[in-house]
Amino acid sequence: MLSIRNLEVSYGDYQVIRGVSMEVYVGEIVALLGPNGAGKSTILNSISGLQSAQAGVIEFDGVHIESMPSHKIVRLRLAHILERRRVFPYLTVYQNLWLGGYNPTVRDERKRNLERVYELFPKLRERETQLAHSMSGGEQQMLALGRGLMADPKLLMVDEPLLGLAPSVARHTIEVLKQINQKGVTILFIEQNVQTAMSLAHRGYVLESGKVVIEGTSSELLNSGEIKRVFLGG
């Protein structure tokens, strides 16, 4: 579904991503791991068109998107949930979700997609008139996921979905992501904690200083001594 080959991204004179290649197959959950500053968010931003790449190929569902603007990438049914949720704080839950379905290719299906979101997150139905900023962090994460699902994505990219959540809420979020995947949505997500990520992902890529240094299945990564070097040093 997603193929990245030799991606190079710079901020001014500083090169952040150095020749990254990776793939995500239909139906998978794939984790992008690495310490702070490794370039994880930059890769997702490059895929969704928020950050321009200096070199490399990004192919989504058979279409080259490396030079495509974000609004056209969304129409291919690729959704990106940014770090720290980024809900519209002074809009209601309903308004946030409705805007998630603004993309012309899914606009006619908004009522159907909204019902699917409410089935997955019953609390959002209960809170649909509540302003987003007045919700807890866990509730805002539900709202961000729901808004992404309103675009009826083939691929859902989530930047640190568990960041700042209480352990019980994080566990619930993991289960929800598994349910989303079981309903046919492929997922690429960023996570700092290796054990947590591998409890959700089928495979993972580990970044260090803008390069992929390890890749493998969940069990391979959990048993890799290289993981300890990347995250703990030595």
Side-chain angles (χ1 to χ4, degrees):
M1 178 172 284
L2 177 70
S3 178
I4 299 172
R5 299 187 293 280
N6 302 315
L7 185 67
E8 307 268 345
V9 183
S10 298
Y11 295 139
D13 294 331
Y14 180 66
Q15 188 168 358
V16 183
I17 302 301
R18 305 167 184 271
V20 164
S21 296
M22 56 183 287
E23 294 182 328
V24 178
Y25 296 98
V26 174
E28 280 193 310
I29 303 178
V30 175
L32 193 54
L33 300 147
N36 283 329
K40 304 182 298 295
S41 295
T42 299
I43 290 177
L44 262 59
N45 290 343
S46 299
I47 295 168
S48 63
L50 296 176
Q51 176 64 42
S52 297
Q54 277 63 55
V57 172
I58 305 173
E59 188 175 345
F60 173 67
D61 207 22
V63 179
H64 285 265
I65 63 172
E66 62 270 6
S67 301
M68 192 178 288
S70 293
H71 69 278
K72 291 188 177 180
I73 292 173
V74 171
R75 293 182 185 183
L76 299 175
R77 293 172 59 195
L78 188 157
H80 181 188
I81 299 173
L82 298 171
E83 184 183 358
R84 298 188 184 279
R85 299 173 275 278
R86 312 287 181 94
V87 296
F88 299 108
Y90 294 102
L91 296 182
T92 65
V93 167
Y94 174 83
Q95 289 168 333
N96 268 273
L97 293 173
W98 202 246
L99 281 172
Y102 185 77
N103 166 15
T105 59
V106 299
R107 200 176 295 168
D108 291 343
E109 300 296 322
R110 274 195 284 193
K111 289 184 178 179
R112 179 178 63 88
N113 290 335
L114 181 64
E115 193 58 35
R116 288 177 174 177
V117 169
Y118 282 157
E119 288 174 7
L120 195 59
F121 302 108
K123 188 168 285 189
L124 295 183
R125 188 195 299 271
E126 298 169 9
R127 305 286 182 89
E128 69 174 7
T129 60
Q130 184 172 337
L131 295 180
H133 77 88
S134 65
M135 303 173 78
S136 70
E139 291 166 344
Q140 288 187 26
Q141 185 61 70
M142 289 183 202
L143 179 56
L145 287 169
R147 188 178 62 188
L149 292 173
M150 285 292 293
D152 197 14
K154 295 178 181 179
L155 174 64
L156 180 67
M157 302 194 305
V158 194
D159 195 334
E160 299 219 43
L162 311 179
L163 182 67
L165 301 183
S168 61
V169 179
R171 287 192 295 271
H172 174 69
T173 302
I174 288 172
E175 292 307 311
V176 167
L177 288 169
K178 287 180 179 178
Q179 289 179 45
I180 292 170
N181 178 246
Q182 288 165 3
K183 291 179 182 293
V185 180
T186 303
I187 296 174
L188 172 63
F189 74 102
I190 290 173
E191 175 53 42
Q192 294 274 2
N193 186 293
V194 177
Q195 293 253 353
T196 301
M198 294 301 97
S199 71
L200 172 60
H202 301 116
R203 292 191 303 115
Y205 292 87
V206 180
L207 261 66
E208 183 181 28
S209 301
K211 297 180 180 179
V212 173
V213 291
I214 321 168
E215 62 178 278
T217 65
S218 296
S219 59
E220 287 170 344
L221 293 182
L222 283 172
N223 294 316
S224 169
E226 186 73 355
I227 285 280
K228 295 177 183 177
R229 184 195 64 77
V230 171
F231 285 92
L232 301 178

